[in-house]
Structure formats: C-alpha cells, structure tokens
Amino acid sequence: MDDPQPLWVQYWNYIGRILRGDFGLSFTYYPTPVSEVIAQALPWTIGLVGIATLLSFIIGTSVGVLAGWRRGSWIDGVLPVATFFSAVPYFWLGLIAIMIFAVWIPIFPASGGYAWGAIPGFNIEFMGSVLYYGILPAVTIILSSVAGWILGMRNMMVTVSSEDFVTVAHAKGLKERTVMVGYAARNAVLPQISGFALALGFIVGGTLVTEIVFSYPGIGFVLFQAVNAKDYPLMQAIFLVITIAVLVANLLADVLYVVLDPRTRQD
C-alpha cells in the first residue's frame, strides 16, 4: 500500500518473483520465507494424505469390483458399514478415534507428527515414529472416503457386466477372473480415474480438518494458522500450489486414460 509504483507494475513484479519461487515472507513464521514454510509442511501432507488416498482408492475399487461382479452376495454387507463411516464428518470421526484409541485405550498418540525428542532425519527411529503417529489420522481418512470408491466402482461394474463384450468373453470360455479384471473392471474403472486424479490434486491441500484435529504438521494445518493470522503471502502461495497440483493431476489423468482405453487413441 505504501509502494509508490503503479498497481500494475507491482502486480508484474509479484508475478516475476513467483516465477523465481519468491512468495515473500510469512507473517506467521516471520522472518521465514513462505517457500521455506511450504517446503517444510508439504512432505508431511503428501506422506499422510497421499498414502491414505491411494490406499482408500485401492481398497474401495477392489471391494467395488467384487461387490459389482458378485452382487447379491455377502460382500454387499460391506456397503452399509462403509456408507455409515462416510456419513460421519472427518472431525467427528477423528475425535472419536482419539477418544477410543488415545484416551480410553492408549494405543496411539493423540496429536503431532512424531515423538518429542526425535531427531528428524532418514533413520529408522524417526521414520518409525512418523509412521506410528500417522496411523490414526490415516485410518480416519480411509474410513471417511472409502465408501465413495466402493459405491462408484460397484455401480459401474453392474453396468459394464451387462455389455456385449463381457458376454462374448464368457462365450469364449475365458476364466471368470480374466473376464472380471481384464474386461469388466478395466472398462468400469475409467470414471474412477477422473475422481482419483482430482483427489490426488487436492492431496497437496491436505485434509484440513483432520490435520487440525490431530495437530498434524501438514499444509492444511499451516493454512489454518495462516488464515487465523491473516498471513496473506502464505495463503496466496498455498492456494497457488493447490491449483497447480490439481491441473497437473488432471493432465496425468488424461495421459492415463490413453493408456487404459484404446478408444481414446483413435483419431
């Protein structure tokens, strides 16, 4: 506000600094540069939310394939349970998990990213501590999101199972597993890829409420602190990183579509 240069000049100077990775200084962590704050928090979020999202996608898609292929069997009983957990808000599920597994039955820690006194580094002691502290928030994320993958994959499997190419595959005498995975599941998973790409993009933003509940040192928790402190440079940088991550994830999804679906390679 006190810069004598015109606003458009200030704007272009700001864009130039961004291209060099200079987002300014953080008000919350002054005088630490914003890029350094993000670089410290981002690996925590990618490690926690990334692995949890990947596991949720793999588990949900696998269960959805079986539920759609063998609809009406006992595996359909998983759907109401998974739907129940997905209906519970993240923060409430996290609080319940802390109450049960950190207070009543003190198996896991209630907050933090690693044990007090642990020296950060690529050693077995520290990595084991990080894994131990990340189990409870990771399980919370998986339970809250797995139902969506199950339901989406099951519905697509039910639709694809009635297609002609699946009937022809059965008529050729192929094994049931080959038909289920190589024909039905390969085509049914295509819509899931788009959703997974968006989920990967938003991994960078972190699961805000989960990180706040568990006081996990990820990018979501840093964003929460930035909002409370009106740290505009830090907020702008985080929003920009999230936007770029979503765009890159969508680009990767398009590339993966070409690999999975031969029809997209035709002129």
Side-chain angles (χ1 to χ4, degrees), residues 155-166:
N155 294 337
M156 287 304 302
M157 282 293 293
V158 171
T159 302
V160 171
S161 297
S162 60
E163 294 289 339
D164 293 338
F165 62 85
V166 175

Side-chain angles (χ1 to χ4, degrees), residues 221-238:
F221 187 64
V222 171
L223 177 59
F224 174 71
Q225 292 179 315
V227 171
N228 284 336
K230 295 181 175 60
D231 191 345
Y232 298 112
L234 184 54
M235 283 190 287
Q236 287 177 326
I238 291 176

Side-chain angles (χ1 to χ4, degrees), residues 14 18 21-29 33-43 45-46 200-208 211-212 216-247:
Y14 171 71
I18 286 179
D22 180 10
F23 297 97
L25 300 179
S26 170
F27 300 162
T28 309
Y29 301 92
V34 169
S35 56
E36 186 175 330
V37 174
I38 294 177
Q40 292 175 354
L42 200 55
T45 292
I46 294 176
L200 286 179
F202 284 107
I203 282 174
V204 177
T207 306
L208 179 63
E211 291 187 359
I212 293 173
Y216 197 80
I219 203 74
F221 187 64
V222 171
L223 177 59
F224 174 71
Q225 292 179 315
V227 171
N228 284 336
K230 295 181 175 60
D231 191 345
Y232 298 112
L234 184 54
M235 283 190 287
Q236 287 177 326
I238 291 176
F239 293 146
L240 179 61
V241 170
I242 294 173
T243 302
I244 294 175
V246 173
L247 294 175

Side-chain angles (χ1 to χ4, degrees), residues 81-236:
V81 178
T83 304
F84 168 78
F85 282 109
S86 68
V88 180
Y90 273 24
F91 70 92
W92 184 245
L93 191 59
L95 291 174
I96 293 175
I98 291 174
M99 178 61 70
I100 296 176
F101 297 106
V103 179
W104 293 350
I105 309 174
I107 302 176
F108 300 105
S111 62
Y114 54 91
W116 292 101
I119 301 176
F122 290 99
N123 53 75
I124 297 177
E125 182 181 356
F126 179 73
M127 299 302 291
S129 177
V130 170
L131 181 62
Y132 176 59
Y133 273 71
I135 290 176
L136 207 56
V139 171
T140 301
I141 297 172
I142 291 172
L143 289 177
S144 300
S145 58
V146 72
W149 301 118
I150 294 176
L151 290 174
M153 193 62 188
R154 180 187 183 277
N155 294 337
M156 287 304 302
M157 282 293 293
V158 171
T159 302
V160 171
S161 297
S162 60
E163 294 289 339
D164 293 338
F165 62 85
V166 175
T167 304
V168 172
H170 280 297
K172 290 167 63 178
L174 297 177
K175 295 181 180 179
E176 183 180 0
R177 180 182 179 86
T178 302
V179 179
M180 180 181 69
V181 177
Y183 287 78
R186 184 175 179 179
N187 286 273
V189 78
L190 294 177
Q192 296 277 95
I193 298 299
S194 298
F196 184 58
L198 289 175
L200 286 179
F202 284 107
I203 282 174
V204 177
T207 306
L208 179 63
V209 178
T210 302
E211 291 187 359
I212 293 173
V213 169
F214 289 95
S215 297
Y216 197 80
I219 203 74
F221 187 64
V222 171
L223 177 59
F224 174 71
Q225 292 179 315
V227 171
N228 284 336
K230 295 181 175 60
D231 191 345
Y232 298 112
L234 184 54
M235 283 190 287
Q236 287 177 326

